[in-house]
Amino acid sequence: MTVLKSFALAALAAVLAFPSLAADLPDLGGREVVVVTENAYPPLQFIDVRTGEAIGWEYDAMNEIARRLNFKVSYENTSWDAMIPAVSEGQYQIGMTGISIKEDRKEKVDFSDPYLRSEMFMLVRGDEDRFDDAKSFAALDSGLVGAQPGTTPFYVAVYDVLDGNEQNPRIKLMETFGATVQALKTGDVDMVLTDGVAGKGYAEASNGGLKLVGGPLGADDFGFIFPKGSDLVAPVNAAIAAMKADGSMDALNKKWFLDYKIGG
């Protein structure tokens, strides 16, 4: 029996074990829902360089949620720093871009239940030999880290790697995650923090140009965001629970974190 066949049978068994989950989901009657994302954090959401298509784990998950709840989804793009304010103000109904569930963010937006758990790892150039973990990087005074302001990698760099100073000049701020990886490749920074599975994808696609070093530096749960008081939260949570129960989330994890190769 192949691994894929075994996986499919396990998912089918899960569906049979929870026969009422799909039937119990709310029907949103085909309403239109605008979802905003950044398209800058593979494999969650990004532009496929081969096709120009926006793809990723979150797109597949949201499309499946829309199918199960019977709503029509359309996608818009915005920058990371504009996303939470825009959703908070009701410009979009849902936001998705690997957003860590944080108490301070809950003051501005509502979160779904967690759909992924993320651990941060250090992504470095393949020939890096000056440091191999957070402690040795912190001791390297000339070492620079690239990060987007206000993101989990930024805060992990500040509080788990460096000295707790959010204005530390060793942190070079950039607008997108892709820009931080490009800066790493060109030598403008020496380290980027990334989710372990995304980092593994970048390393495998780099032909030795990049690698992961050290152990996990922090863990966060990812959730979709909504304007405060949104009536979409409960239905989306129900769909997430159903997808976890019937194996659909595991199938997405396999597709995007194990099978898919970033850039090829």
Side-chain angles (χ1 to χ4, degrees), residues 44-252:
L44 295 186
Q45 21 66 32
F46 61 106
I47 302 298
D48 188 338
V49 296
R50 297 162 296 190
T51 66
E53 180 186 5
I55 60 174
W57 192 104
E58 288 180 329
Y59 278 107
D60 282 1
M62 185 57 64
N63 289 338
E64 179 62 12
I65 289 170
R67 185 190 70 80
R68 294 184 184 216
L69 297 178
N70 187 24
F71 65 81
K72 181 180 179 181
V73 61
S74 61
Y75 296 99
E76 300 287 346
N77 298 113
T78 193
S79 63
W80 161 253
D81 58 353
M83 182 169 298
I84 292 178
V87 173
S88 176
E89 294 166 5
Q91 295 180 35
Y92 310 102
Q93 283 74 63
I94 301 177
M96 65 176 201
T97 186
I99 304 172
S100 298
I101 300 173
K102 301 285 190 182
E103 290 303 316
D104 59 331
R105 293 173 181 167
K106 289 181 180 179
E107 297 175 1
K108 301 175 183 177
V109 293
D110 286 339
F111 277 92
S112 70
D113 292 336
Y115 56 83
L116 273 178
R117 189 159 182 80
S118 168
E119 291 183 320
M120 292 289 107
F121 284 81
M122 298 170 63
L123 184 67
V124 303
R125 288 182 293 279
D127 60 356
E128 182 60 71
D129 60 5
R130 296 170 298 169
F131 59 90
D132 59 9
D133 59 15
K135 183 177 180 180
S136 55
F137 176 82
L140 181 68
D141 291 340
S142 61
L144 302 177
V145 54
Q148 290 173 275
T151 62
T152 294
F154 170 79
Y155 290 115
V156 171
V158 170
Y159 296 103
D160 292 75
V161 178
L162 298 176
D163 58 2
N165 175 15
E166 295 187 10
Q167 282 74 48
N168 191 313
R170 291 181 59 185
I171 303 176
K172 299 303 178 183
L173 300 179
M174 300 176 191
E175 291 187 1
T176 68
F177 178 74
T180 68
V181 176
Q182 185 59 33
L184 175 63
K185 291 178 178 179
T186 58
D188 294 325
V189 299
D190 303 292
M191 184 267 285
V192 168
L193 286 162
T194 178
D195 178 84
V197 289
K200 182 179 179 182
Y202 273 107
E204 290 179 348
S206 72
N207 295 317
L210 299 173
K211 64 182 179 181
L212 294 175
V213 298
L217 294 172
D220 276 315
D221 290 321
F222 289 160
F224 302 118
I225 61 171
F226 309 79
K228 296 290 288 184
S230 171
D231 65 349
L232 289 171
V233 177
V236 169
N237 283 344
I240 289 172
M243 291 172 68
K244 287 180 178 179
D246 68 19
S248 297
M249 290 296 191
D250 289 335
L252 288 180

